[in-house]
Amino acid sequence: MPEPAVPSVPSASPAPPAPPTPPVSLAALLSREDLGLRQIAGPPAADVRVHWAHTSEMSDPYPYLLGGELLLTAGVHVPEAAGSGTYFDDYVARIVEAGGAALGFGLAPVHDTVPRALVAACEAYGLPLVEVPERTTFSGVARAVWQLMARARLAELRRISEAQQGLAAAASRPDPVPSVLRRLAGRLEGRAVLYGPEGTEIAAAGREPGGEVRRALEELARFVTGHASSTATDTVAGTRLTAYALGTGQGFVLGVAAPHRESGDHTIASVAAVLLSLLTGEHQSGTGAGRSSALVRLLLGARREEVAPLLAGGGGEAPRWHVVHARPDTGTPDPVSASALGAALGSPLVDTAEEVVRVLVPVAGSAEPAGTTSTTASSPASPPAPQPGWVLGVSAAVGPAEWPAADVQAARALARARAVRAPLVRHGDRPALADLVPAGEAEAHARALLAPVAAVPALTETLRAWLSLHGSWDRTAVALSVHRNTVRQRIARCAALLETDLDDPDVRMELWFALRDPRPSE
């Protein structure tokens, strides 16, 4: 037996693109005293969003609506016997089917009051019904909607701009990835998660969601890594979920879970995704041919002078370089924060060893290192500058043959910077009195003078730091990361072994010259 035919019901058109301005709350429109609007039916105005205002006296406005409108009518289309039939039910049903946000009914010249049947139909279908008084024109209502939208748009742009600045500042911190996630989670009042190539959670910030939401976000992250789409969205348990495939091509994904979705949230999250793409990718073509060739040649015995041009872009004269040693103000550096520091200094040549990050930076006038681009935070044409959240020690400008000596200079400059609590200390590279003594004679004298303490490196390093800090016990302790009593014991041991008075300024001067960096042999 054939099944009974089911009457077809017209379906709403696909949702159109959102307008270029954010929607406004119907409650904000009702609060305008100059309009005198009053809601008489439907759900609370605070929950209703209006995208635009439209006037129509058609008995079936469905074909002319896009969705999200405040539809304004004076009831010209209403027949005299409408209250006794289904006219208002059909009329309201078509508005709801088209996605209309609310209905505004104007009093006079046709109707003195809003028809009761229309009020009942709006209550039945959940359509907000607003009474428009005789003194208020429909054009005045439409103008007020656009004024509120313009105001909301300005507030949204200001919010996006502030969020961009905050995210950029977070990305420049020593812990850039956690900082960006924390800032994003705070802005969206939700959860931000960075997933690794295997789908594992690398870092996260914000309120921990329920198990169902957490699993759905993980699944969404896996979806974007296995498909061509770079973003995906879902809603689970009333929480809006979004996953962004980061542009590194390494399988990293940013996942966001938020209880609500404002019009500017996608833009804010997209900015965070771009920053995380830069932070999670190996900085500026780190596996490029120039750096690979340099590494291979060094391992096979090439001289530094031969390798340096490859690091500087593959041609031309070998540039001069600064060696930079850096430590974060708090905590220990990780590869991502070290890469971000290299980007800020304008060089991809970064190494992390224990608690210190070392960066090889070309000096002013040198070619840019292989793999850098003009988008780096600071240009190699500028000397290394202080970086927020970091303490830096910078060597003199040297050629490749002097890199080891510059490494020692940067280490000592960093120790002094930490001791004096300065963001950056540079090694002095101007000619000094000691330069008047032939290098061979100076080295021989230094070896003879320091022989009693040379067998104990800790004593030599403590003596050097103590002299450089003008005999300060506390600052030397900070520079060497030891207790001040340890410094006192070591200095007393040095005085005994050297059989000299370390309070004598002439003795201190001679020892300081002897402890200066040995001059590298060519």
Side-chain angles (χ1 to χ4, degrees):
M1 181 175 179
E3 295 181 357
V6 179
S8 62
V9 179
S11 60
S13 303
T21 51
V24 298
S25 169
L26 180 61
L29 191 64
L30 297 179
S31 66
R32 291 279 296 258
E33 296 182 358
D34 58 319
L35 299 177
L37 305 179
R38 182 171 68 95
Q39 184 177 358
I40 57 178
D47 300 333
V48 179
R49 295 291 183 268
V50 175
H51 286 274
W52 32 48
H54 176 67
T55 300
S56 175
E57 296 299 340
M58 303 291 294
S59 59
D60 181 13
Y62 176 93
Y64 307 98
L65 299 181
L66 294 175
E69 296 93 346
L70 168 61
L71 179 63
L72 300 170
T73 179
V76 176
H77 56 88
V78 178
E80 292 184 4
S84 59
T86 63
Y87 180 86
F88 285 119
D89 284 339
D90 296 339
Y91 177 70
V92 173
R94 293 290 279 173
I95 297 174
V96 172
E97 190 176 355
L103 175 64
F105 195 90
L107 302 181
V110 181
H111 298 270
D112 294 332
T113 60
V114 180
R116 292 188 177 183
L118 177 59
V119 176
C122 288
E123 284 287 0
Y125 283 90
L127 180 68
L129 178 60
V130 176
E131 179 186 85
V132 182
E134 180 179 359
R135 64 180 175 84
T136 302
T137 63
F138 287 174
S139 60
V141 174
R143 180 177 61 186
V145 170
W146 286 108
Q147 287 174 343
L148 291 172
M149 292 176 72
R151 191 179 306 163
R153 178 61 172 170
L154 181 60
E156 179 192 59
L157 292 175
R158 185 179 296 113
R159 174 173 173 262
I160 292 174
S161 177
E162 292 174 352
Q164 289 176 332
Q165 294 174 7
L167 289 169
S172 67
R173 291 179 55 84
D175 55 342
V177 170
S179 295
V180 169
L181 293 176
R182 285 195 299 269
R183 187 63 62 95
L184 178 62
R187 282 288 179 178
L188 303 186
E189 300 179 359
R191 180 80 167 173
V193 184
L194 176 65
Y195 296 100
E198 302 301 325
T200 56
E201 182 178 303
I202 295 178
R207 190 181 321 144
E208 177 74 28
E212 181 183 5
V213 173
R214 185 175 62 255
R215 288 189 295 272
L217 188 59
E218 293 172 354
E219 185 65 30
L220 202 63
R222 285 192 290 269
F223 175 83
V224 296
T225 57
H227 295 75
S229 176
S230 60
T231 61
T233 61
D234 196 4
T235 301
V236 175
T239 302
R240 295 293 304 270
L241 309 179
T242 311
Y244 301 83
L246 303 186
T248 62
Q250 304 296 322
F252 291 93
V253 177
L254 169 63
V256 177
H260 51 77
R261 183 79 169 186
E262 300 295 337
S263 55
D265 288 351
H266 176 69
T267 301
I268 294 172
S270 297
V271 171
V274 171
L275 291 171
L276 291 172
S277 295
L278 297 174
L279 293 170
T280 54
E282 186 175 359
H283 174 59
Q284 304 294 344
S285 303
T287 57
R291 291 179 64 192
S292 296
S293 297
L295 176 60
V296 170
R297 295 188 189 186
L298 280 174
L299 292 175
L300 295 180
R303 299 173 64 221
R304 289 185 293 272
E305 295 88 332
E306 299 171 359
V307 171
L310 295 175
L311 300 176
E317 295 295 328
R320 295 174 67 78
W321 307 77
H322 289 294
V323 176
V324 177
H325 280 217
R327 289 186 62 170
D329 287 338
T330 58
T332 57
D334 55 66
V336 174
S337 63
S339 180
L341 175 65
L345 294 175
S347 175
L349 306 175
V350 180
D351 172 57
T352 303
E354 298 180 353
E355 298 181 350
V356 176
V357 176
R358 299 189 298 176
V359 188
L360 195 58
V361 183
V363 303
S366 298
E368 294 188 5
T372 60
T373 68
S374 59
T375 59
T376 51
S378 65
S379 169
S382 302
Q387 301 297 320
W390 292 90
V391 180
L392 306 182
V394 182
S395 75
V398 300
E402 299 167 300
W403 283 347
D407 189 47
V408 175
Q409 293 174 1
R412 292 173 182 167
L414 174 61
R416 183 169 181 82
R418 296 184 67 236
V420 300
R421 295 178 174 82
L424 183 147
V425 168
R426 303 180 191 276
H427 177 81
D429 56 355
R430 64 182 184 276
L433 182 62
D435 295 328
L436 300 176
V437 181
E441 295 181 16
E443 292 174 9
H445 176 71
R447 282 194 298 269
L449 181 62
L450 298 173
V453 297
V456 186
L459 294 181
T460 305
E461 190 61 28
T462 302
L463 181 59
R464 178 186 289 109
W466 184 73
L467 290 173
S468 72
L469 296 170
H470 312 293
S472 171
W473 308 109
D474 292 331
R475 290 182 177 180
T476 305
V478 171
L480 300 178
S481 299
V482 298
H483 195 275
R484 67 195 305 271
N485 288 343
T486 301
V487 176
R488 287 182 177 274
Q489 292 168 5
R490 290 179 181 177
I491 295 301
R493 180 63 176 160
C494 289
L497 290 174
L498 294 171
E499 298 180 351
T500 189
D501 180 10
L502 294 182
D503 290 330
D504 187 330
D506 291 333
V507 171
R508 290 193 184 191
M509 179 183 66
E510 186 176 11
L511 288 172
W512 177 246
F513 283 143
L515 287 165
R516 282 173 54 88
D517 303 341
R519 301 175 191 182
S521 58
E522 296 297 335

